[in-house]
Amino acid sequence: HKIITEGLGSIIFSENNEVFYNKVQVFNRDISIHVIKYFAELRMKEQEIEKMKKKRKSEKVPFSAEDMETLNQCDWKKKCEENSQNGIVILDALAATALRSIRYLKEIPGVKKVIANDMDHSAVE
């Protein structure tokens, strides 16, 4: 066996393992993690803007530039980490070794869950 580590994820890989691992795709996995992180933060910000607008509407006060500035000052990465129960769900439909899935869980704040699947029966086992 050998241990393969990328980012914060590690897997134990058998020398005679038939499951596909593409070392060339490390950069692709890195990029997908950064893109999803950004998406999760934008999604959280949009949800908070909508909450603030509803609150202001119930108070019969308009949503203001000051409200937006307050929201812009927020640490969205931290907010995502604190609110993973309302976080994103990621489907890794061709997971193979599931290394990308493991990295999603470990490296993206605010992930509620990752569903890992593959067409290859040996990958799912």
Side-chain angles (χ1 to χ4, degrees):
H1 293 358
K2 68 178 179 177
I3 296 175
I4 297 174
T5 300
E6 277 183 27
L8 298 177
S10 295
I11 58 171
I12 299 172
F13 203 72
S14 172
E15 296 296 331
N16 60 352
N17 197 333
E18 296 175 15
V19 178
F20 183 69
Y21 170 72
N22 189 346
K23 188 175 184 176
V24 176
Q25 291 296 319
V26 173
F27 180 71
N28 177 290
R29 288 185 283 270
D30 290 343
I31 293 296
S32 68
I33 286 166
H34 289 291
V35 169
I36 295 171
K37 274 185 193 179
Y38 183 69
F39 168 77
E41 290 175 16
L42 282 179
R43 180 176 174 269
M44 179 65 68
K45 184 176 181 179
E46 288 172 356
Q47 289 175 338
E48 291 300 315
I49 288 170
E50 288 306 310
K51 282 183 198 175
M52 179 74 78
K53 284 180 177 179
K54 285 180 183 178
K55 181 180 178 197
R56 293 295 183 241
K57 188 175 181 179
S58 71
E59 296 169 343
K60 299 188 183 345
V61 175
F63 182 78
S64 67
E66 290 88 19
D67 292 331
M68 194 64 196
E69 184 59 32
T70 299
L71 291 169
N72 284 334
Q73 299 296 323
C74 187
D75 181 349
W76 295 107
K77 179 182 176 187
K78 184 177 179 184
K79 194 129 179 106
C80 285
E81 289 170 352
E82 295 168 350
N83 292 304
S84 63
Q85 73 276 6
N86 296 321
I88 61 175
V89 176
I90 301 172
L91 170 63
D92 190 357
L94 298 172
T97 63
L99 183 56
R100 182 187 308 255
S101 303
I102 293 165
R103 290 189 64 193
Y104 284 163
L105 282 171
K106 290 187 163 211
E107 298 178 36
I108 302 172
V111 173
K112 183 176 182 176
K113 67 180 170 181
V114 174
I115 301 165
N117 194 17
D118 201 284
M119 289 175 43
D120 182 355
H121 183 70
S122 60
V124 177
E125 291 177 358

